[in-house]
PDB file of all heavy atoms in Angstrom:
ATOM      1  N   THR A  28     -22.273  51.035  46.939  1.00 91.00           N
ATOM      2  CA  THR A  28     -21.670  49.835  46.377  1.00 91.00           C
ATOM      3  C   THR A  28     -20.377  50.203  45.665  1.00 91.00           C
ATOM      4  O   THR A  28     -20.391  50.909  44.648  1.00 91.00           O
ATOM      5  CB  THR A  28     -22.632  49.165  45.385  1.00 91.00           C
ATOM      6  OG1 THR A  28     -23.853  48.857  46.068  1.00 91.00           O
ATOM      7  CG2 THR A  28     -22.030  47.874  44.835  1.00 91.00           C
ATOM      8  N   LEU A  29     -19.258  49.713  46.183  1.00 94.00           N
ATOM      9  CA  LEU A  29     -17.962  50.089  45.636  1.00 94.00           C
ATOM     10  C   LEU A  29     -17.785  49.667  44.180  1.00 94.00           C
ATOM     11  O   LEU A  29     -17.044  50.312  43.444  1.00 94.00           O
ATOM     12  CB  LEU A  29     -16.838  49.493  46.485  1.00 94.00           C
ATOM     13  CG  LEU A  29     -16.731  49.966  47.937  1.00 94.00           C
ATOM     14  CD1 LEU A  29     -15.474  49.417  48.585  1.00 94.00           C
ATOM     15  CD2 LEU A  29     -16.775  51.470  48.023  1.00 94.00           C
ATOM     16  N   ASP A  30     -18.459  48.597  43.774  1.00 94.00           N
ATOM     17  CA  ASP A  30     -18.291  48.110  42.403  1.00 94.00           C
ATOM     18  C   ASP A  30     -18.620  49.175  41.361  1.00 94.00           C
ATOM     19  O   ASP A  30     -18.123  49.122  40.241  1.00 94.00           O
ATOM     20  CB  ASP A  30     -19.176  46.888  42.162  1.00 94.00           C
ATOM     21  CG  ASP A  30     -18.531  45.607  42.658  1.00 94.00           C
ATOM     22  OD1 ASP A  30     -17.367  45.661  43.100  1.00 94.00           O
ATOM     23  OD2 ASP A  30     -19.190  44.555  42.605  1.00 94.00           O
ATOM     24  N   TYR A  31     -19.459  50.135  41.704  1.00 94.00           N
ATOM     25  CA  TYR A  31     -19.888  51.128  40.739  1.00 94.00           C
ATOM     26  C   TYR A  31     -18.947  52.332  40.661  1.00 94.00           C
ATOM     27  O   TYR A  31     -19.183  53.254  39.867  1.00 94.00           O
ATOM     28  CB  TYR A  31     -21.296  51.621  41.079  1.00 94.00           C
ATOM     29  CG  TYR A  31     -22.342  50.547  41.106  1.00 94.00           C
ATOM     30  CD1 TYR A  31     -23.449  50.634  41.957  1.00 94.00           C
ATOM     31  CD2 TYR A  31     -22.242  49.424  40.292  1.00 94.00           C
ATOM     32  CE1 TYR A  31     -24.414  49.647  41.984  1.00 94.00           C
ATOM     33  CE2 TYR A  31     -23.211  48.432  40.320  1.00 94.00           C
ATOM     34  CZ  TYR A  31     -24.298  48.544  41.167  1.00 94.00           C
ATOM     35  OH  TYR A  31     -25.248  47.562  41.204  1.00 94.00           O
ATOM     36  N   TYR A  32     -17.902  52.307  41.496  1.00 94.00           N
ATOM     37  CA  TYR A  32     -17.053  53.487  41.602  1.00 94.00           C
ATOM     38  C   TYR A  32     -15.584  53.139  41.370  1.00 94.00           C
ATOM     39  O   TYR A  32     -15.133  52.025  41.609  1.00 94.00           O
ATOM     40  CB  TYR A  32     -17.198  54.110  43.000  1.00 94.00           C
ATOM     41  CG  TYR A  32     -18.567  54.657  43.260  1.00 94.00           C
ATOM     42  CD1 TYR A  32     -19.573  53.840  43.766  1.00 94.00           C
ATOM     43  CD2 TYR A  32     -18.867  55.988  42.991  1.00 94.00           C
ATOM     44  CE1 TYR A  32     -20.844  54.323  43.996  1.00 94.00           C
ATOM     45  CE2 TYR A  32     -20.137  56.486  43.222  1.00 94.00           C
ATOM     46  CZ  TYR A  32     -21.121  55.648  43.719  1.00 94.00           C
ATOM     47  OH  TYR A  32     -22.379  56.136  43.942  1.00 94.00           O
ATOM     48  N   HIS A  33     -14.848  54.163  40.915  1.00 96.00           N
ATOM     49  CA  HIS A  33     -13.401  54.053  40.905  1.00 96.00           C
ATOM     50  C   HIS A  33     -12.938  54.315  42.335  1.00 96.00           C
ATOM     51  O   HIS A  33     -13.331  55.312  42.953  1.00 96.00           O
ATOM     52  CB  HIS A  33     -12.774  55.098  39.978  1.00 96.00           C
ATOM     53  CG  HIS A  33     -13.381  55.178  38.615  1.00 96.00           C
ATOM     54  ND1 HIS A  33     -13.556  54.069  37.813  1.00 96.00           N
ATOM     55  CD2 HIS A  33     -13.859  56.232  37.917  1.00 96.00           C
ATOM     56  CE1 HIS A  33     -14.118  54.446  36.668  1.00 96.00           C
ATOM     57  NE2 HIS A  33     -14.310  55.754  36.701  1.00 96.00           N
ATOM     58  N   ILE A  34     -12.087  53.439  42.856  1.00 97.00           N
ATOM     59  CA  ILE A  34     -11.617  53.565  44.229  1.00 97.00           C
ATOM     60  C   ILE A  34     -10.093  53.529  44.234  1.00 97.00           C
ATOM     61  O   ILE A  34      -9.489  52.673  43.556  1.00 97.00           O
ATOM     62  CB  ILE A  34     -12.143  52.432  45.115  1.00 97.00           C
ATOM     63  CG1 ILE A  34     -13.675  52.451  45.162  1.00 97.00           C
ATOM     64  CG2 ILE A  34     -11.562  52.518  46.526  1.00 97.00           C
ATOM     65  CD1 ILE A  34     -14.270  53.663  45.853  1.00 97.00           C
ATOM     66  N   GLY A  35      -9.508  54.431  44.968  1.00 97.00           N
ATOM     67  CA  GLY A  35      -8.050  54.483  45.029  1.00 97.00           C
ATOM     68  C   GLY A  35      -7.532  54.377  46.451  1.00 97.00           C
ATOM     69  O   GLY A  35      -8.237  54.668  47.419  1.00 97.00           O
ATOM     70  N   CYS A  50      -5.031  52.555  42.192  1.00 97.00           N
ATOM     71  CA  CYS A  50      -6.465  52.717  42.089  1.00 97.00           C
ATOM     72  C   CYS A  50      -7.055  51.654  41.189  1.00 97.00           C
ATOM     73  O   CYS A  50      -6.373  51.105  40.313  1.00 97.00           O
ATOM     74  CB  CYS A  50      -6.871  54.111  41.654  1.00 97.00           C
ATOM     75  SG  CYS A  50      -6.497  54.542  39.956  1.00 97.00           S
ATOM     76  N   SER A  51      -8.300  51.358  41.459  1.00 97.00           N
ATOM     77  CA  SER A  51      -9.040  50.331  40.736  1.00 97.00           C
ATOM     78  C   SER A  51     -10.257  50.979  40.109  1.00 97.00           C
ATOM     79  O   SER A  51     -11.071  51.577  40.813  1.00 97.00           O
ATOM     80  CB  SER A  51      -9.465  49.236  41.722  1.00 97.00           C
ATOM     81  OG  SER A  51     -10.372  48.342  41.116  1.00 97.00           O
ATOM     82  N   THR A  52     -10.368  50.869  38.796  1.00 96.00           N
ATOM     83  CA  THR A  52     -11.512  51.476  38.137  1.00 96.00           C
ATOM     84  C   THR A  52     -12.717  50.549  38.176  1.00 96.00           C
ATOM     85  O   THR A  52     -12.589  49.327  38.360  1.00 96.00           O
ATOM     86  CB  THR A  52     -11.191  51.837  36.682  1.00 96.00           C
ATOM     87  OG1 THR A  52     -11.042  50.625  35.926  1.00 96.00           O
ATOM     88  CG2 THR A  52      -9.912  52.655  36.585  1.00 96.00           C
ATOM     89  N   SER A  53     -13.873  51.099  37.979  1.00 95.00           N
ATOM     90  CA  SER A  53     -15.111  50.323  38.024  1.00 95.00           C
ATOM     91  C   SER A  53     -15.183  49.308  36.885  1.00 95.00           C
ATOM     92  O   SER A  53     -15.946  48.345  36.971  1.00 95.00           O
ATOM     93  CB  SER A  53     -16.322  51.242  37.986  1.00 95.00           C
ATOM     94  OG  SER A  53     -16.298  52.018  36.807  1.00 95.00           O
ATOM     95  N   ASP A  54     -14.399  49.511  35.825  1.00 93.00           N
ATOM     96  CA  ASP A  54     -14.422  48.555  34.717  1.00 93.00           C
ATOM     97  C   ASP A  54     -13.226  47.625  34.725  1.00 93.00           C
ATOM     98  O   ASP A  54     -12.947  46.959  33.728  1.00 93.00           O
ATOM     99  CB  ASP A  54     -14.539  49.272  33.371  1.00 93.00           C
ATOM    100  CG  ASP A  54     -13.488  50.324  33.178  1.00 93.00           C
ATOM    101  OD1 ASP A  54     -12.665  50.518  34.091  1.00 93.00           O
ATOM    102  OD2 ASP A  54     -13.487  50.960  32.112  1.00 93.00           O
ATOM    103  N   GLY A  55     -12.511  47.566  35.858  1.00 93.00           N
ATOM    104  CA  GLY A  55     -11.524  46.513  36.037  1.00 93.00           C
ATOM    105  C   GLY A  55     -10.074  46.876  35.802  1.00 93.00           C
ATOM    106  O   GLY A  55      -9.201  46.013  35.924  1.00 93.00           O
ATOM    107  N   ASP A  56      -9.782  48.111  35.478  1.00 95.00           N
ATOM    108  CA  ASP A  56      -8.386  48.496  35.302  1.00 95.00           C
ATOM    109  C   ASP A  56      -7.755  48.814  36.661  1.00 95.00           C
ATOM    110  O   ASP A  56      -8.440  49.212  37.604  1.00 95.00           O
ATOM    111  CB  ASP A  56      -8.266  49.711  34.393  1.00 95.00           C
ATOM    112  CG  ASP A  56      -8.640  49.382  32.960  1.00 95.00           C
ATOM    113  OD1 ASP A  56      -8.344  48.255  32.509  1.00 95.00           O
ATOM    114  OD2 ASP A  56      -9.240  50.249  32.289  1.00 95.00           O
ATOM    115  N   ILE A  69      -3.848  45.805  44.074  1.00 98.00           N
ATOM    116  CA  ILE A  69      -5.201  46.236  44.451  1.00 98.00           C
ATOM    117  C   ILE A  69      -6.195  45.214  43.927  1.00 98.00           C
ATOM    118  O   ILE A  69      -6.023  44.669  42.827  1.00 98.00           O
ATOM    119  CB  ILE A  69      -5.496  47.661  43.920  1.00 98.00           C
ATOM    120  CG1 ILE A  69      -6.729  48.237  44.584  1.00 98.00           C
ATOM    121  CG2 ILE A  69      -5.612  47.676  42.398  1.00 98.00           C
ATOM    122  CD1 ILE A  69      -6.912  49.728  44.328  1.00 98.00           C
ATOM    123  N   SER A  70      -7.203  44.937  44.732  1.00 98.00           N
ATOM    124  CA  SER A  70      -8.206  43.951  44.321  1.00 98.00           C
ATOM    125  C   SER A  70      -9.541  44.299  44.954  1.00 98.00           C
ATOM    126  O   SER A  70      -9.610  45.112  45.880  1.00 98.00           O
ATOM    127  CB  SER A  70      -7.764  42.544  44.721  1.00 98.00           C
ATOM    128  OG  SER A  70      -7.611  42.436  46.125  1.00 98.00           O
ATOM    129  N   ARG A  71     -10.571  43.672  44.441  1.00 97.00           N
ATOM    130  CA  ARG A  71     -11.921  43.917  44.951  1.00 97.00           C
ATOM    131  C   ARG A  71     -12.594  42.600  45.308  1.00 97.00           C
ATOM    132  O   ARG A  71     -12.344  41.568  44.675  1.00 97.00           O
ATOM    133  CB  ARG A  71     -12.784  44.612  43.883  1.00 97.00           C
ATOM    134  CG  ARG A  71     -12.358  46.013  43.516  1.00 97.00           C
ATOM    135  CD  ARG A  71     -13.233  46.544  42.374  1.00 97.00           C
ATOM    136  NE  ARG A  71     -12.882  47.884  41.942  1.00 97.00           N
ATOM    137  CZ  ARG A  71     -13.603  48.963  42.217  1.00 97.00           C
ATOM    138  NH1 ARG A  71     -14.716  48.853  42.945  1.00 97.00           N
ATOM    139  NH2 ARG A  71     -13.225  50.158  41.791  1.00 97.00           N
ATOM    140  N   ASP A  72     -13.453  42.669  46.308  1.00 96.00           N
ATOM    141  CA  ASP A  72     -14.336  41.557  46.666  1.00 96.00           C
ATOM    142  C   ASP A  72     -15.741  42.128  46.686  1.00 96.00           C
ATOM    143  O   ASP A  72     -16.139  42.809  47.635  1.00 96.00           O
ATOM    144  CB  ASP A  72     -13.947  40.976  48.027  1.00 96.00           C
ATOM    145  CG  ASP A  72     -14.743  39.739  48.374  1.00 96.00           C
ATOM    146  OD1 ASP A  72     -15.912  39.608  47.911  1.00 96.00           O
ATOM    147  OD2 ASP A  72     -14.231  38.886  49.126  1.00 96.00           O
ATOM    148  N   SER A  73     -16.481  41.856  45.634  1.00 95.00           N
ATOM    149  CA  SER A  73     -17.818  42.437  45.513  1.00 95.00           C
ATOM    150  C   SER A  73     -18.741  41.974  46.628  1.00 95.00           C
ATOM    151  O   SER A  73     -19.540  42.755  47.146  1.00 95.00           O
ATOM    152  CB  SER A  73     -18.418  42.057  44.161  1.00 95.00           C
ATOM    153  OG  SER A  73     -17.632  42.540  43.096  1.00 95.00           O
ATOM    154  N   ALA A  74     -18.635  40.706  46.983  1.00 96.00           N
ATOM    155  CA  ALA A  74     -19.525  40.153  48.010  1.00 96.00           C
ATOM    156  C   ALA A  74     -19.331  40.848  49.351  1.00 96.00           C
ATOM    157  O   ALA A  74     -20.274  40.983  50.136  1.00 96.00           O
ATOM    158  CB  ALA A  74     -19.295  38.655  48.155  1.00 96.00           C
ATOM    159  N   LYS A  75     -18.106  41.312  49.599  1.00 96.00           N
ATOM    160  CA  LYS A  75     -17.817  41.980  50.864  1.00 96.00           C
ATOM    161  C   LYS A  75     -17.797  43.506  50.721  1.00 96.00           C
ATOM    162  O   LYS A  75     -17.514  44.207  51.693  1.00 96.00           O
ATOM    163  CB  LYS A  75     -16.472  41.492  51.409  1.00 96.00           C
ATOM    164  CG  LYS A  75     -16.469  40.015  51.770  1.00 96.00           C
ATOM    165  CD  LYS A  75     -15.141  39.585  52.372  1.00 96.00           C
ATOM    166  CE  LYS A  75     -15.172  38.108  52.766  1.00 96.00           C
ATOM    167  NZ  LYS A  75     -13.882  37.660  53.350  1.00 96.00           N
ATOM    168  N   ASN A  76     -18.081  43.978  49.495  1.00 97.00           N
ATOM    169  CA  ASN A  76     -18.068  45.422  49.254  1.00 97.00           C
ATOM    170  C   ASN A  76     -16.768  46.040  49.748  1.00 97.00           C
ATOM    171  O   ASN A  76     -16.755  47.064  50.448  1.00 97.00           O
ATOM    172  CB  ASN A  76     -19.270  46.112  49.910  1.00 97.00           C
ATOM    173  CG  ASN A  76     -19.586  47.449  49.267  1.00 97.00           C
ATOM    174  OD1 ASN A  76     -19.348  47.667  48.073  1.00 97.00           O
ATOM    175  ND2 ASN A  76     -20.116  48.364  50.059  1.00 97.00           N
ATOM    176  N   THR A  77     -15.663  45.406  49.375  1.00 97.00           N
ATOM    177  CA  THR A  77     -14.358  45.767  49.913  1.00 97.00           C
ATOM    178  C   THR A  77     -13.332  45.882  48.787  1.00 97.00           C
ATOM    179  O   THR A  77     -13.350  45.106  47.825  1.00 97.00           O
ATOM    180  CB  THR A  77     -13.883  44.712  50.929  1.00 97.00           C
ATOM    181  OG1 THR A  77     -14.826  44.648  52.005  1.00 97.00           O
ATOM    182  CG2 THR A  77     -12.515  45.053  51.494  1.00 97.00           C
ATOM    183  N   VAL A  78     -12.447  46.853  48.947  1.00 98.00           N
ATOM    184  CA  VAL A  78     -11.280  46.971  48.075  1.00 98.00           C
ATOM    185  C   VAL A  78     -10.047  46.756  48.944  1.00 98.00           C
ATOM    186  O   VAL A  78      -9.920  47.363  50.004  1.00 98.00           O
ATOM    187  CB  VAL A  78     -11.214  48.344  47.391  1.00 98.00           C
ATOM    188  CG1 VAL A  78      -9.922  48.493  46.589  1.00 98.00           C
ATOM    189  CG2 VAL A  78     -12.426  48.539  46.474  1.00 98.00           C
ATOM    190  N   TYR A  79      -9.168  45.884  48.482  1.00 98.00           N
ATOM    191  CA  TYR A  79      -7.970  45.542  49.242  1.00 98.00           C
ATOM    192  C   TYR A  79      -6.728  46.157  48.603  1.00 98.00           C
ATOM    193  O   TYR A  79      -6.676  46.379  47.394  1.00 98.00           O
ATOM    194  CB  TYR A  79      -7.777  44.027  49.291  1.00 98.00           C
ATOM    195  CG  TYR A  79      -8.887  43.276  49.954  1.00 98.00           C
ATOM    196  CD1 TYR A  79      -9.848  42.583  49.207  1.00 98.00           C
ATOM    197  CD2 TYR A  79      -8.984  43.223  51.349  1.00 98.00           C
ATOM    198  CE1 TYR A  79     -10.858  41.880  49.819  1.00 98.00           C
ATOM    199  CE2 TYR A  79     -10.001  42.517  51.965  1.00 98.00           C
ATOM    200  CZ  TYR A  79     -10.940  41.856  51.195  1.00 98.00           C
ATOM    201  OH  TYR A  79     -11.952  41.152  51.815  1.00 98.00           O
TER     202      TYR A  79
END
Side-chain angles (χ1 to χ4, degrees):
T28 302
L29 296 187
D30 277 355
Y31 301 149
Y32 294 87
H33 311 309
I34 299 293
C50 70
S51 170
T52 69
S53 59
D54 53 359
D56 291 324
I69 194 168
S70 61
R71 294 176 181 254
D72 186 331
S73 300
K75 295 183 178 180
N76 202 30
T77 299
V78 175
Y79 299 103

